[in-house]
Protein backbone atom coordinates (compact mmCIF):
# COMPACT_ATOMS: atom_id res chain seq x y z
CA UNK A 1 0.00 0.00 0.00
CA UNK A 2 1.11 3.51 -0.78
CA UNK A 3 -0.24 6.87 0.35
CA UNK A 4 0.26 10.09 -1.56
CA UNK A 5 -0.63 13.67 -0.79
CA UNK A 6 -1.68 15.68 -3.84
CA UNK A 7 -1.93 19.38 -4.47
CA UNK A 8 -4.99 19.89 -6.67
CA UNK A 9 -5.70 23.21 -8.38
CA UNK A 10 -9.06 24.66 -9.30
CA UNK A 11 -11.43 23.25 -6.67
CA UNK A 12 -13.75 25.86 -5.20
CA UNK A 13 -16.60 24.02 -3.47
CA UNK A 14 -17.60 20.65 -1.97
CA UNK A 15 -18.98 19.39 -5.28
CA UNK A 16 -15.51 19.90 -6.81
CA UNK A 17 -14.11 17.47 -4.23
CA UNK A 18 -16.87 15.02 -5.10
CA UNK A 19 -16.07 15.36 -8.81
CA UNK A 20 -12.42 14.46 -8.15
CA UNK A 21 -13.48 11.49 -6.04
CA UNK A 22 -15.73 10.35 -8.86
CA UNK A 23 -12.77 10.39 -11.28
CA UNK A 24 -10.89 8.16 -8.83
CA UNK A 25 -13.80 5.71 -8.63
CA UNK A 26 -13.01 4.77 -12.22
CA UNK A 27 -9.69 3.26 -11.13
CA UNK A 28 -8.99 -0.11 -9.56
CA UNK A 29 -6.85 -0.31 -6.47
CA UNK A 30 -7.88 2.90 -4.67
CA UNK A 31 -8.17 1.97 -0.98
CA UNK A 32 -8.96 5.29 0.61
CA UNK A 33 -9.36 8.85 -0.57
CA UNK A 34 -9.99 12.19 1.02
CA UNK A 35 -10.23 15.26 -1.20
CA UNK A 36 -10.47 18.67 0.47
CA UNK A 37 -11.36 21.67 -1.70
CA UNK A 38 -10.59 24.06 1.16
CA UNK A 39 -6.94 23.06 1.38
CA UNK A 40 -6.60 22.18 -2.35
CA UNK A 41 -5.36 18.79 -1.35
CA UNK A 42 -6.07 15.13 -1.70
CA UNK A 43 -4.82 12.19 0.30
CA UNK A 44 -5.06 8.89 -1.49
CA UNK A 45 -4.07 5.41 -0.37
CA UNK A 46 -3.82 2.74 -3.03
CA UNK A 47 -2.64 -0.75 -3.80
CA UNK A 48 0.50 -0.08 -5.84
CA UNK A 49 0.30 -3.51 -7.45
CA UNK A 50 -2.94 -2.43 -9.16
CA UNK A 51 -2.46 1.25 -9.88
CA UNK A 52 0.40 3.76 -9.91
CA UNK A 53 0.57 7.41 -8.79
CA UNK A 54 1.09 8.38 -12.45
CA UNK A 55 -2.21 6.73 -13.37
CA UNK A 56 -3.98 8.42 -10.47
CA UNK A 57 -2.67 11.85 -11.46
CA UNK A 58 -3.50 11.27 -15.14
CA UNK A 59 -7.03 10.25 -14.17
CA UNK A 60 -7.62 13.40 -12.09
CA UNK A 61 -6.15 15.56 -14.86
CA UNK A 62 -8.77 14.20 -17.27
CA UNK A 63 -11.33 16.23 -15.34
CA UNK A 64 -11.62 19.97 -14.63
CA UNK A 65 -9.04 20.00 -11.87
CA UNK A 66 -5.30 19.70 -12.23
CA UNK A 67 -2.72 18.07 -10.01
CA UNK A 68 0.00 20.59 -9.25
CA UNK A 69 2.25 18.26 -7.32
CA UNK A 70 2.41 15.21 -5.15
CA UNK A 71 4.35 13.77 -2.28
CA UNK A 72 4.77 10.19 -1.17
CA UNK A 73 3.70 10.16 2.47
CA UNK A 74 3.56 6.39 2.96
CA UNK A 75 6.26 6.46 5.60
CA UNK A 76 5.56 9.92 6.97
CA UNK A 77 4.51 10.27 10.59
CA UNK A 78 1.02 9.01 11.05
CA UNK A 79 -1.32 11.94 11.56
CA UNK A 80 -3.98 10.94 14.07
CA UNK A 81 -7.63 11.65 13.37
CA UNK A 82 -9.41 14.60 14.96
CA UNK A 83 -11.24 13.20 18.03
CA UNK A 84 -14.25 15.41 17.22
CA UNK A 85 -14.88 14.60 13.55
CA UNK A 86 -12.63 11.66 12.75
CA UNK A 87 -10.86 13.26 9.79
CA UNK A 88 -7.10 13.42 9.69
CA UNK A 89 -5.65 16.87 10.18
CA UNK A 90 -2.20 18.33 9.71
CA UNK A 91 0.76 18.80 12.00
CA UNK A 92 1.25 22.35 13.27
CA UNK A 93 4.40 23.69 14.89
CA UNK A 94 3.89 24.50 18.58
CA UNK A 95 5.29 27.97 17.83
CA UNK A 96 1.91 29.10 16.47
CA UNK A 97 0.03 28.86 19.76
CA UNK A 98 1.45 31.83 21.63
CA UNK A 99 0.12 34.47 19.25
CA UNK A 100 -3.02 32.63 18.12
CA UNK A 101 -4.58 31.23 21.31
CA UNK A 102 -6.44 33.05 24.02
CA UNK A 103 -4.28 32.89 27.21
CA UNK A 104 -6.60 30.45 28.99
CA UNK A 105 -6.13 27.95 26.15
CA UNK A 106 -2.46 28.69 25.63
CA UNK A 107 -1.87 27.63 29.25
CA UNK A 108 -3.22 24.16 28.43
CA UNK A 109 -0.71 23.48 25.65
CA UNK A 110 1.85 20.80 26.48
CA UNK A 111 4.84 21.89 24.42
CA UNK A 112 6.38 18.41 24.67
CA UNK A 113 3.53 17.02 22.58
CA UNK A 114 2.74 17.20 18.87
CA UNK A 115 -0.39 19.13 17.95
CA UNK A 116 -2.53 18.91 14.85
CA UNK A 117 -4.97 21.29 13.16
CA UNK A 118 -8.36 19.97 12.11
CA UNK A 119 -8.82 21.24 8.54
CA UNK A 120 -12.37 19.91 8.19
CA UNK A 121 -14.34 23.10 7.33
CA UNK A 122 -17.40 22.14 9.39
CA UNK A 123 -15.70 20.73 12.50
CA UNK A 124 -15.68 23.01 15.55
CA UNK A 125 -12.29 21.78 16.72
CA UNK A 126 -9.30 23.94 15.83
CA UNK A 127 -6.43 21.90 17.27
CA UNK A 128 -6.00 18.52 18.90
CA UNK A 129 -3.43 16.27 20.47
CA UNK A 130 -4.68 12.86 21.48
CA UNK A 131 -8.05 13.46 23.12
CA UNK A 132 -7.18 17.02 24.03
CA UNK A 133 -8.92 19.59 21.83
CA UNK A 134 -9.00 23.34 21.46
CA UNK A 135 -12.25 24.69 20.04
CA UNK A 136 -12.41 27.28 17.23
CA UNK A 137 -13.28 30.04 19.69
CA UNK A 138 -10.16 29.36 21.71
CA UNK A 139 -8.33 31.40 19.09
CA UNK A 140 -8.01 35.17 19.04
CA UNK A 141 -8.86 35.28 15.33
CA UNK A 142 -11.01 33.19 13.05
CA UNK A 143 -9.72 30.32 10.93
CA UNK A 144 -10.36 31.15 7.27
CA UNK A 145 -10.78 27.49 6.29
CA UNK A 146 -13.68 26.89 8.67
CA UNK A 147 -16.99 27.31 6.87
CA UNK A 148 -18.56 29.17 9.82
CA UNK A 149 -15.87 31.88 10.07
CA UNK A 150 -17.12 35.32 9.09
CA UNK A 151 -13.76 36.97 8.55
CA UNK A 152 -11.63 35.10 6.01
CA UNK A 153 -8.16 36.23 6.98
CA UNK A 154 -5.66 35.18 4.34
CA UNK A 155 -2.49 36.87 5.59
CA UNK A 156 -2.40 36.49 9.37
CA UNK A 157 0.92 38.29 9.70
CA UNK A 158 -0.62 41.52 8.42
CA UNK A 159 -4.24 40.75 9.25
CA UNK A 160 -5.48 41.05 5.67
CA UNK A 161 -8.69 39.30 4.73
CA UNK A 162 -10.29 38.13 1.51
CA UNK A 163 -12.39 41.29 1.15
CA UNK A 164 -9.35 43.54 1.47
CA UNK A 165 -7.56 41.56 -1.22
CA UNK A 166 -10.60 41.97 -3.45
CA UNK A 167 -10.57 45.75 -2.99
CA UNK A 168 -6.81 45.96 -3.61
CA UNK A 169 -7.06 43.92 -6.80
CA UNK A 170 -10.25 45.33 -8.28
CA UNK A 171 -10.09 48.95 -7.17
CA UNK A 172 -6.36 49.56 -6.86
CA UNK A 173 -5.10 47.25 -9.61
CA UNK A 174 -2.59 45.59 -7.29
CA UNK A 175 -1.67 41.95 -7.71
CA UNK A 176 1.33 40.82 -5.69
CA UNK A 177 1.72 39.99 -2.00
CA UNK A 178 4.23 42.87 -1.67
CA UNK A 179 1.93 45.42 -3.33
CA UNK A 180 -1.17 44.42 -1.43
CA UNK A 181 0.34 44.07 2.04
CA UNK A 182 2.25 47.32 1.36
CA UNK A 183 -1.01 49.05 0.50
CA UNK A 184 -2.55 48.17 3.87
CA UNK A 185 0.49 48.13 6.15
CA UNK A 186 3.37 50.56 6.51
CA UNK A 187 5.79 47.74 7.27
CA UNK A 188 4.39 44.37 6.21
CA UNK A 189 5.76 41.49 8.22
CA UNK A 190 6.18 37.82 7.33
CA UNK A 191 6.34 35.50 10.32
CA UNK A 192 3.93 32.77 9.33
CA UNK A 193 5.58 30.15 11.55
CA UNK A 194 4.49 32.26 14.53
CA UNK A 195 1.39 34.12 13.37
CA UNK A 196 -0.39 31.85 10.88
CA UNK A 197 -2.59 29.35 12.78
CA UNK A 198 -1.41 26.54 10.48
CA UNK A 199 2.24 27.61 10.72
CA UNK A 200 2.41 27.53 6.93
CA UNK A 201 3.33 30.39 4.62
CA UNK A 202 0.24 32.20 3.33
CA UNK A 203 1.65 33.11 -0.10
CA UNK A 204 0.18 30.21 -2.08
CA UNK A 205 -3.31 30.86 -0.75
CA UNK A 206 -2.81 34.62 -1.08
CA UNK A 207 -1.84 34.35 -4.76
CA UNK A 208 -4.76 32.06 -5.40
CA UNK A 209 -7.20 34.59 -3.93
CA UNK A 210 -5.58 37.39 -5.97
CA UNK A 211 -6.02 35.30 -9.11
CA UNK A 212 -9.65 34.64 -8.27
CA UNK A 213 -10.37 38.38 -8.11
CA UNK A 214 -8.23 39.28 -11.14
CA UNK A 215 -10.80 38.29 -13.72
ZN1 LIG B 1 -12.33 17.85 13.39
Amino acid sequence: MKTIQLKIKGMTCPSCSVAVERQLNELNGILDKFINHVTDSGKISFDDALVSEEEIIAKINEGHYKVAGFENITNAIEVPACPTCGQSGQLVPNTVFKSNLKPVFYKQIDSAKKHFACMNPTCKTAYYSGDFTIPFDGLKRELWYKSYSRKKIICYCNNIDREQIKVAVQQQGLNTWEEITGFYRKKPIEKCELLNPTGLCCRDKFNEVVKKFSH
Side-chain angles (χ1 to χ4, degrees), residues 1-214:
M1 192 195 89
K2 243 174 145 174
T3 301
I4 53 172
Q5 176 91 38
L6 298 171
K7 182 117 187 93
I8 304 171
K9 294 265 182 207
M11 299 189 291
T12 53
C13 68
S15 53
C16 299
S17 317
V18 174
V20 173
E21 290 185 1
R22 207 173 291 138
Q23 292 285 120
L24 293 170
N25 288 344
E26 295 175 15
L27 294 171
N28 286 323
I30 304 291
L31 302 171
D32 194 22
K33 54 190 183 301
F34 176 59
I35 311 295
N36 189 337
H37 74 278
V38 177
T39 52
D40 300 315
S41 66
K43 189 175 158 188
I44 300 160
S45 297
F46 57 98
D47 182 339
D48 52 330
L50 294 174
V51 68
S52 67
E53 51 248 27
E54 288 79 13
E55 288 170 300
I56 292 171
I57 291 166
K59 181 48 87 177
I60 294 173
N61 286 341
E62 283 176 13
H64 289 296
Y65 314 101
K66 302 295 167 217
V67 175
F70 83 95
E71 199 183 340
N72 183 347
I73 56 165
T74 312
N75 298 315
I77 46 152
E78 207 35 57
V79 175
C82 167
T84 312
C85 69
Q87 289 192 7
S88 93
Q90 70 187 36
L91 184 67
V92 292
N94 287 338
T95 48
V96 303
F97 296 128
K98 194 169 198 292
S99 68
N100 282 293
L101 293 184
K102 293 175 183 169
V104 58
F105 288 97
Y106 179 59
K107 267 191 280 183
Q108 300 173 33
I109 293 289
D110 179 349
S111 59
K113 288 192 173 144
K114 283 195 164 72
H115 292 80
F116 303 88
C118 175
M119 303 303 288
N120 175 355
T122 56
C123 181
K124 302 284 183 192
T125 290
Y127 300 115
Y128 61 93
S129 180
D131 286 334
F132 168 74
T133 59
I134 291 185
F136 70 102
D137 54 1
L139 279 81
K140 293 177 191 165
R141 294 183 291 179
E142 295 191 281
L143 295 167
W144 63 267
Y145 48 86
K146 295 294 192 184
S147 59
Y148 44 79
S149 65
R150 291 147 302 167
K151 198 170 158 75
K152 306 287 182 196
I153 302 170
I154 304 300
C155 173
Y156 281 86
C157 296
N158 301 293
N159 203 21
I160 292 172
D161 68 17
R162 224 168 168 278
E163 280 309 299
Q164 288 172 297
I165 296 178
K166 185 180 179 183
V167 169
V169 171
Q170 296 184 345
Q171 296 177 20
Q172 303 293 327
L174 308 176
N175 52 45
T176 65
W177 186 92
E178 282 76 9
E179 286 172 353
I180 297 170
T181 55
F183 175 68
Y184 287 110
R185 303 288 171 252
K186 237 183 213 140
K187 275 191 181 165
I189 51 167
E190 204 173 5
K191 286 186 175 159
C192 298
E193 73 286 2
L194 300 175
L195 301 174
N196 191 307
T198 63
L200 299 174
C201 176
C202 69
R203 285 196 184 234
D204 269 4
K205 191 72 206 173
F206 198 95
N207 290 336
E208 201 181 290
V209 174
V210 167
K211 214 181 254 172
K212 215 165 266 176
F213 290 130
S214 298

